[in-house]
């Protein structure tokens, strides 16, 4: 069994005074300190990052981490667009599965605000297919197409989508590390400017900076020594085509469905056991699809279910979703997101989630998506 | 035990009429056909690539591979500069070590010739540290500093370096897939223009396009069914700092030394057992350091040893090095290199190396380096 024994995240937001590696260093040192470990006790590092190559002409990130930690161990960088963090975690788990008694660091980070919007948006478009990029379709445009299809097929309106953002912004007010910490109303969402119809500014996650790190170990005696520890029941990753035109159904993210099914099978628990989940809400429509494709809600019912706000903290539901604020309000520093999701579940399962602590949370799920569904990683943790 | 059962490589060179994914597709289909496997029999894919993000704004490569193969399996992209291919192989081995009865594809590819030299060289510089990039130091410049240090410390001249290129160009004449297929003389090397003193054009590997793929399995019954199969005795990866100023010794690539020592320990064989090796000769000096740091030659003796040309095919030596032509003559499509090296050893150990077949080759080693030594991967194979 693999255990997560520590989690540290920088604040997410527009951190103009911090470079990518300032953020990486803060997260690495933060999580090591939490576990009272020296870097010399680390056996391997897994780093999730999307854009350092494109934005900073930086393709030596693993060596920079060796320099920061002053250690010689294998350090891997994984890239899978917005799922880069989740994939790093998945590879770390695979590494532990075949290397007994090891401690690994898993870190995700992204620095996005030092660039012009054109640079950042071009970089993010690299997650879309070449064909889609050539048509001028942005990332928001792709999810807007999915949203239009979904709303029409199941007879919903933009209002239904808005409740995702209302909920996640409320959760953001409860999380000190979140990019946005203010409540928003239905009216706020509906009156915010369109980015790509029907998606508006307040349907969309922001461009953020941040870094998040966890320590994972399969050394049971070390895990037992730590104050906090959660068990990794499953981490499953799945790839799919990226162009929407290659998909059989654009209102289903097949990679989510397949990795979710596999993860529940591996973890040997049912959907009903999950008390807290962090799902990939890069756009409001994405959280609805995630809840359906993960099997929490029936396909097509998500638009109705979200309006009930049973997944919002404080409403007494059995499953609370995106207590961190999700990508929408906690922010979306691309490579960090997958690790922050896992970290938030760690906080919930160890009773460290403070103002947003879900009572008696025993099982949690983290769900990270790359691009418009080219990759999905589903991780299931237990207290 | 893990087995390599097939290898396919495209021709390396300036392949103006092929895109990155044309090359990827040719290599994937080529290796599947060789093993008479359908893509549906593949359980995971590992892809090594450095520059698609920077040069093509393409960060959806894993999804594109899902599209080409028409399968939903986990597909991972690893990036570690010039060691991207070797790292992909190392991760694939880790995956197999914890997943019984699986077949994986490992592919490396790079498309480098559709861009201006400035674009390609800026992209390649991304492997150097930020500080080094800011000084204007190119990749050749970094290796030139190492070469100057080495030549002065051990009292050699540029002539000593030249023999690496003479040998590897001769091997290139014996390999139909090589970028350069002509012999060169000592005079040719010494009269070629300087790139960064003391390194000249003919001390340097070229900018090439290409893709190489292997199939690896831990399904013994499948391996036994295949015509050719070699055992993977070890694959070890190590990271180190990248800036030369952070290194204790710049005439030693510490990552090579550490991963090499670990690989020989894991494989439980000695240096003397190795009959064929592919080592990372991005510049002539790099092959000399590799031979020393891998423990084949004593530190400082490499300049003398290479002049004897005992590692050249046909000279009766016990260890023949870079029969493919190495990076120097076979070419260096960055992400493909680490896989081509492993593939060349596979060909040698299965008696398929035709004109350059080393007699009775039983053990082989492949050695792949990222940047100026930020990463090294050492793989040991047995027939």
């Amino acid at each position: 069994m693999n255990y997560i024994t520590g989690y540290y995240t920088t604040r997410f937001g527009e951190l103009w005074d911090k470079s990518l590696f300032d953020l990486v260093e803060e997260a690495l040192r933060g999580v090591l300190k939490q576990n009272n470990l020296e870097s010399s006790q680390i056996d391997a590092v897994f780093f999730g990052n999307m854009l350092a190559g494109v934005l900073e002409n930086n393709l030596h990130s693993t060596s920079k981490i060796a320099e920061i930690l002053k250690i010689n161990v294998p350090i891997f960088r994984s890239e899978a667009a917005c799922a880069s963090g989740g994939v790093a975690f998945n590879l770390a788990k695979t590494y532990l599965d075949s290397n007994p008694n090891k401690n690994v660091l898993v870190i995700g980070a992204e620095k996005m605000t030092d660039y012009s919007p054109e640079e950042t948006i071009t970089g993010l478009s690299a997650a879309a297919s070449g064909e889609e990029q050539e048509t001028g379709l942005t990332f928001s445009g792709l999810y807007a197409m999915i949203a239009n299809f979904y709303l029409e097929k199941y007879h919903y309106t933009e209002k239904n989508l808005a409740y995702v953002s209302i909920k996640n912004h409320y959760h953001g007010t409860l999380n000190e590390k979140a990019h946005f910490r203010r409540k928003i109303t239905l009216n706020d969402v509906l009156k915010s400017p369109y980015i790509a119809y029907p998606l508006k500014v307040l349907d969309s996650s922001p461009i953020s900076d941040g870094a998040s790190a966890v320590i994972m170990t399969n050394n049971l005696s070390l895990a037992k020594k730590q104050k906090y520890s959660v068990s990794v029941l499953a981490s499953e990753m799945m790839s799919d085509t990226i162009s929407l035109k290659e998909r059989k159904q654009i209102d289903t993210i097949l990679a989510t469905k397949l990795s979710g099914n596999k993860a529940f099978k591996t973890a040997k628990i049912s959907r009903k056991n999950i008390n807290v989940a962090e799902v990939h809400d890069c756009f409001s429509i994405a959280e609805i699809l995630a809840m359906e494709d993960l099997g929490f809600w029936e396909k097509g019912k998500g638009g109705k279910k979200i309006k009930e706000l049973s997944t919002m903290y404080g409403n007494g539901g059995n499953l609370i979703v995106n207590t961190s604020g999700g990508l929408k309000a906690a922010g979306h520093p691309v490579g960090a997101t997958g690790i922050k999701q896992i970290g938030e579940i760690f906080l919930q399962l160890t009773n460290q989630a403070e103002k947003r602590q879900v009572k008696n949370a025993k099982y949690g799920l983290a769900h990270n998506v790359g691009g418009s569904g080219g990759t999905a990683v589903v991780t299931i943790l237990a207290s």
Side-chain angles (χ1 to χ4, degrees), chain A:
Chain A
M1 180 63 73
N2 302 313
Y3 305 91
I4 298 175
T5 56
Y7 165 57
Y8 182 95
T9 187
T10 68
R11 193 164 74 75
F12 281 9
E14 299 190 10
L15 309 177
W16 298 101
D17 56 338
K18 306 257 185 184
S19 74
L20 175 64
F21 289 107
D22 289 341
L23 295 166
V24 165
E25 187 161 358
E26 180 185 336
L28 289 174
R29 297 215 188 289
V31 77
L32 282 169
K33 196 177 163 194
Q34 219 178 78
N35 272 203
N36 213 4
L37 287 177
E38 300 293 324
S39 57
S40 59
Q41 291 169 278
I42 295 300
D43 299 293
V45 185
F46 294 82
F47 179 47
N49 170 267
M50 179 185 182
L51 293 170
V54 171
L55 292 179
E56 305 195 16
N57 204 45
N58 178 330
L59 293 168
H60 66 274
S61 53
T62 55
S63 296
K64 187 71 189 177
I65 290 172
E67 191 183 312
I68 291 171
L69 295 174
K70 297 195 189 314
I71 48 173
N72 287 111
V73 298
I75 306 178
F76 299 92
R77 177 200 164 204
S78 57
E79 182 278 310
C82 309
S84 298
V87 169
F89 185 85
N90 181 268
L91 285 171
K93 186 216 152 261
T94 301
Y95 173 87
L96 288 177
D97 284 347
S98 57
N99 288 283
N101 291 316
K102 302 284 185 196
N103 309 317
V104 306
L105 281 166
V106 195
I107 172 152
E110 209 79 44
K111 175 69 196 174
M112 304 179 76
T113 58
D114 278 352
Y115 312 95
S116 69
E118 289 71 22
E119 286 173 303
T120 314
I121 287 171
T122 303
L124 285 169
S125 300
S129 79
E131 250 178 313
E132 286 170 340
Q133 284 190 52
E134 279 166 27
T135 63
L137 257 169
T138 59
F139 218 54
S140 326
L142 287 164
Y143 272 96
M145 286 169 71
I146 296 174
N148 278 317
F149 184 88
Y150 182 87
L151 296 183
E152 193 176 317
K153 182 167 173 187
Y154 300 107
H155 311 290
Y156 295 121
T157 69
E158 296 167 52
K159 263 195 197 175
N160 299 75
L161 302 178
Y163 288 92
V164 172
S165 304
I166 293 167
K167 170 178 72 69
N168 291 350
H169 265 260
Y170 172 62
H171 292 166
T173 67
L174 309 174
N175 178 6
E176 285 181 0
K177 301 291 182 81
H179 190 156
F180 296 130
R181 307 206 56 217
R182 62 182 177 89
K183 270 194 197 179
I184 53 172
T185 64
L186 180 59
N187 209 27
D188 290 336
V189 182
L190 295 179
K191 290 208 164 158
S192 67
Y194 283 106
I195 290 183
Y197 181 87
L199 300 177
K200 295 167 290 293
V201 167
L202 289 178
D203 286 294
S204 314
S205 57
I207 301 290
S208 318
D209 304 324
S212 309
V214 294
I215 288 181
M216 183 160 45
T217 183
N218 53 10
N219 181 334
L220 185 60
S221 68
L222 184 127
K224 280 190 174 165
K225 261 186 249 167
Q226 297 296 337
K227 192 169 174 191
Y228 302 111
S229 157
V230 307
S231 305
V232 182
L233 300 187
S235 167
E236 298 291 348
M237 189 273 224
M238 191 54 72
S239 303
D240 194 14
T241 55
I242 191 74
S243 286
L244 294 189
K245 75 173 177 54
E246 300 284 333
R247 303 267 176 84
K248 278 185 195 146
Q249 282 176 284
I250 71 162
D251 60 331
T252 292
I253 304 290
L254 183 62
T256 296
K257 213 169 160 173
L258 295 173
S259 53
N261 286 343
K262 219 172 155 192
F264 277 106
K265 210 174 149 186
T266 307
K268 296 187 181 111
I269 62 166
S270 85
R271 268 75 175 170
K272 284 185 183 158
N273 292 123
I274 302 290
N275 312 111
V276 281
E278 291 279 309
V279 307
H280 200 90
D281 61 321
C282 48
F283 298 96
S284 52
I285 180 68
E287 177 163 328
I288 293 174
L289 295 188
M291 293 298 287
E292 295 179 353
D293 296 334
L294 288 166
F296 292 122
W297 292 344
E298 206 182 311
K299 180 54 69 191
K301 301 284 190 208
K304 186 167 166 277
K305 293 292 283 179
I306 189 66
K307 231 178 134 177
E308 297 167 5
L309 288 177
S310 71
T311 54
M312 186 152 93
Y313 182 75
N315 286 355
N318 298 320
L319 167 61
I320 311 303
V321 176
N322 283 334
T323 53
S324 71
L327 284 61
K328 175 67 199 83
H332 184 28
V334 175
T337 285
I339 307 300
K340 179 222 68 179
Q341 295 177 317
I342 288 167
E344 176 71 11
I345 301 298
F346 171 81
L347 295 179
Q348 290 286 355
L349 300 185
T350 53
N351 242 313
Q352 299 182 81
E354 302 181 344
K355 290 186 193 168
R356 60 192 190 282
Q357 179 62 51
V358 174
K359 264 190 196 160
N360 303 320
K362 280 206 148 57
Y363 294 98
L365 175 147
H367 162 255
N368 192 198
V369 174
S372 46
T375 310
V377 191
V378 174
T379 304
I380 298 179
L381 307 176
S383 63

